[in-house]
Amino acid sequence: MKARVNVTLKPGVLDPQGAAVRHSLGSLGFAGVDKVRQGKVIELDLTENDPIKAKSQVEDMCEKLLANTVIENYSVEIL
Amino acid sequence: MKARVNVTLKPGVLDPQGAAVRHSLGSLGFAGVDKVRQGKVIELDLTENDPIKAKSQVEDMCEKLLANTVIENYSVEIL
């Protein structure tokens, strides 16, 4: 079973990577980009076959390792 | 208009970040994780209101800046 985790910075947390991307897009001539936020996507192959158990296991992984819950939000999709 | 870009390493390209995550998950006692791949997610706020034009603009950004198309795949979603 595959799972995808999206980890994004919480609103209000400074995102220097996103700001750098926005600045570079401007330099390359892409106008009309208001805001850029950059996050991580983590794709996991799990041996667990029950989608409910798999989701709860992945949420546990997010809390313990994949996301820094002080500054980041995460969402888990089971594919 | 918002767009989300997912950038992932092409299959076969070594992913040391993913391997490190998998190893750490094992150390934390999460068994049953076969493979981990880590990518980037970039969220853009665009002033363009036409979804078709916005998508083509974002694909252009991916080719020029957001993804390294030699080793990375990207997908664009207009939200």
Side-chain angles (χ1 to χ4, degrees), chain A residues 34-35 37 39 41 43 45, chain B residues 34-35 37 39 41 43 45:
Chain A
D34 278 341
K35 213 174 83 177
R37 302 284 283 173
V41 56
E43 287 173 356
D45 273 11
Chain B
D34 277 342
K35 212 173 84 178
R37 303 283 282 173
V41 56
E43 287 173 357
D45 274 11

Side-chain angles (χ1 to χ4, degrees), chain A residues 49-70:
Chain A
N49 283 320
D50 177 347
I52 295 163
K53 278 191 196 162
K55 192 167 182 186
S56 110
Q57 195 186 24
V58 174
E59 281 171 351
D60 207 18
M61 291 175 194
C62 289
E63 291 289 336
K64 289 200 177 139
L65 179 76
L66 304 179
N68 175 354
T69 51
V70 177

Side-chain angles (χ1 to χ4, degrees), chain A residues 3 5 7 40-46 57-58 60-67, chain B residues 15-39:
Chain A
V5 178
V7 180
K40 290 182 288 185
V41 56
I42 300 159
E43 287 173 356
L44 303 140
D45 273 11
L46 304 167
Q57 195 186 24
V58 174
D60 207 18
M61 291 175 194
C62 289
E63 291 289 336
K64 289 200 177 139
L65 179 76
L66 304 179
Chain B
D15 179 4
Q17 271 188 302
V21 169
R22 193 172 79 101
H23 185 257
S24 301
L25 286 173
S27 309
L28 287 171
F30 291 105
V33 181
D34 277 342
K35 212 173 84 178
V36 180
R37 303 283 282 173
Q38 185 168 336

Side-chain angles (χ1 to χ4, degrees), chain B residues 38-72:
Chain B
Q38 185 168 336
K40 291 183 288 187
V41 56
I42 301 158
E43 287 173 357
L44 303 138
D45 274 11
L46 305 166
T47 48
E48 180 63 62
N49 283 320
D50 177 345
I52 294 162
K53 279 190 198 162
K55 192 168 182 186
S56 109
Q57 196 186 21
V58 174
E59 282 171 349
D60 207 17
M61 291 175 194
C62 290
E63 292 289 337
K64 288 197 179 140
L65 179 76
L66 304 180
N68 175 354
T69 53
V70 178
I71 55 165
E72 290 171 333

